[in-house]
Amino acid sequence: MNLSIETPALLFSATSLILLAYTNRFLTIAQIVRGLKKTYDEKENKSILIEIKNLNLRLTLIRYMQLFGVLSLFLSVFGMLVLFMEWKLVGIYIFGASLLSLLISLGISFWEISISVKALRVHLSDLIDDEIAKD
């Protein structure tokens, strides 16, 4: 297999955009948690506490998504350095590890999204039940 120095560079734009999306998700969820915490301090509603726990899990997953995304970018840059030094076989393995890290990050992202969708469905189930009762 032949791998040029340009191939790992292809991950830069994709990984940078993914990390930006992960950061935006993190900031949005963090803002929601702060608001729910304030509401919980005022009302001490158990459903709010359950929602905060769900969001805490999602924040943990996003942290791991970011970790593996950054690791992918780091390995990509390191792979380019190794390829620049003309250590082809080592560069191929490092680039493979970079791709694996990106794949893990995307898998965790899918997991986090599925948790988000389930939470939204539970949240909206009250509205759906109310609409069915009206009909």
Side-chain angles (χ1 to χ4, degrees):
M1 177 181 190
N2 192 13
L3 183 67
S4 68
I5 197 167
E6 293 88 14
T7 305
L10 294 173
L11 285 183
F12 282 5
S13 60
T15 307
S16 298
L17 289 173
I18 287 171
L19 290 173
L20 180 63
Y22 292 169
T23 301
N24 286 339
R25 285 159 85 173
F26 178 83
L27 292 173
T28 300
I29 292 173
Q31 184 178 9
I32 292 168
V33 167
R34 286 184 189 101
L36 286 174
K37 168 78 169 76
K38 184 177 178 183
T39 304
Y40 179 76
D41 288 343
E42 294 168 359
K43 298 181 183 179
E44 293 191 19
N45 186 339
K46 186 175 180 176
S47 66
I48 293 174
L49 187 59
I50 292 169
E51 201 167 339
I52 289 172
K53 286 181 182 180
N54 180 296
L55 291 169
N56 186 43
L57 172 61
R58 289 179 57 200
L59 286 171
T60 301
L61 290 175
I62 291 171
R63 183 179 65 207
Y64 285 114
M65 289 161 36
Q66 289 173 325
L67 172 78
F68 282 103
V70 168
L71 181 62
S72 174
L73 190 58
F74 175 83
L75 289 172
S76 182
V77 171
F78 190 61
M80 287 175 61
L81 177 65
V82 168
L83 288 170
F84 179 75
M85 295 186 313
E86 296 186 5
W87 296 344
K88 300 286 184 190
L89 187 60
V90 175
I92 289 170
Y93 284 117
I94 291 173
F95 181 63
S98 174
L99 291 176
L100 181 62
S101 181
L102 183 59
L103 187 63
I104 291 169
S105 176
L106 292 172
I108 296 171
S109 175
F110 180 76
W111 183 13
E112 190 269 332
I113 289 170
S114 66
I115 290 172
S116 173
V117 168
K118 286 178 189 174
L120 286 172
R121 284 190 177 143
V122 167
H123 195 66
L124 294 175
S125 66
D126 296 343
L127 293 174
I128 294 169
D129 292 342
D130 289 346
E131 284 298 314
I132 292 173
K134 287 181 184 177
D135 292 340

